[in-house]
Amino acid sequence: MFWQEVHHLDQQVTLAINSWHSPISDPVWQFFSDKLIWIPMYVAIVALLIWKLGWKKGLIVIAAAGLTFGFCDQFSNIVKHAVERIRPLKDTYMLSQGLHVLENGGGYSFFSAHAANAFGLACSTFVGLKTTLRTKPTWLKVYGWWMFIWALMVAISRIFVGKHYLGDVLVGTVVGIAAGLAFGYLAGYVTKKIN
């Protein structure tokens, strides 16, 4: 009964957020939701890490980001198959209430791997840089702002395209931040050891 009420509340809040769509904003949400579009940004992050930290320390932070991605993705798959929550775009109630759908897709909804991966990447690379660099340059703050705004936009886009409930995104965000912090600080610890 309790979880049914939580699910129903999540449905209502998700529908309310999803209803804030327009022909202008729809392409923006699809853009942020598309994984392949961000490949150039990932390549730029790899280049930045190696340029600012050197190849050895840079590779350690890149490995931490890779471990974060792997953990978030696999943990999300395990939880999705254990919980088996139907995606909003496959839920007849959500569709009958006017859910605006911009993407197709199967699988289960809880929790959002997109949100977890985006926040995990932001945290692991930012913390890896912050703990490894001797000084805290201004560009690091800019990098942090960019990465966390990007992660937020990726996470929110999943509600607007109809693939996730708000609850899926919030849990994914928490998992991503936790994993990113853990692997980011681990990278910082390892880079200090090799000094």
Side-chain angles (χ1 to χ4, degrees):
M1 189 71 172
F2 171 74
W3 289 114
Q4 285 178 333
E5 288 178 20
V6 170
H7 177 62
H8 184 65
L9 177 62
D10 202 7
Q11 286 178 314
Q12 299 310 309
V13 176
T14 299
L15 284 166
I17 294 169
N18 177 268
S19 69
W20 305 336
H21 63 83
S22 75
I24 296 168
S25 64
D26 284 354
V28 173
W29 299 123
Q30 287 175 299
F31 177 80
F32 276 96
S33 191
D34 187 350
K35 285 189 265 188
L36 295 177
I37 267 176
W38 298 106
I39 290 173
M41 187 184 85
Y42 303 147
V43 172
I45 290 169
V46 167
L48 175 77
L49 291 169
I50 291 172
W51 176 39
K52 294 295 184 180
L53 302 177
W55 70 270
K56 200 181 285 184
K57 291 178 183 177
L59 286 177
I60 291 168
V61 177
I62 291 163
L67 288 168
T68 304
F69 250 89
F71 172 81
C72 289
D73 218 50
Q74 291 311 304
F75 187 50
S76 172
N77 284 332
I78 291 166
V79 174
K80 278 177 182 173
H81 285 92
V83 175
E84 296 185 344
R85 187 183 201 190
I86 297 169
R87 288 188 185 274
L89 58 83
K90 298 285 184 184
D91 187 323
T92 51
Y93 172 77
M94 296 295 284
L95 294 170
S96 72
Q97 296 301 305
L99 180 77
H100 185 64
V101 178
L102 296 174
E103 286 184 10
N104 294 317
Y108 297 115
S109 180
F110 184 82
F111 57 91
S112 170
H114 268 72
N117 286 331
F119 275 97
L121 177 65
C123 278
S124 62
T125 57
F126 180 73
V127 170
L129 279 164
K130 191 176 175 185
T131 55
T132 304
L133 291 168
R134 290 181 186 170
T135 60
K136 306 299 176 263
T138 308
W139 65 263
L140 183 60
K141 214 178 262 188
V142 173
Y143 176 82
W145 276 104
W146 161 253
M147 288 303 292
F148 287 103
I149 289 169
W150 166 79
L152 181 64
M153 293 295 282
V154 168
I156 291 171
S157 75
R158 305 306 285 164
I159 299 169
F160 283 101
V161 299
K163 291 196 89 168
H164 285 289
Y165 298 95
L166 175 64
D168 304 335
V169 168
L170 292 176
V171 172
T173 298
V174 170
V175 169
I177 289 171
L181 288 172
F183 286 112
Y185 279 113
L186 178 63
Y189 174 78
V190 172
T191 56
K192 280 176 183 167
K193 283 288 180 187
I194 67 169
N195 276 342

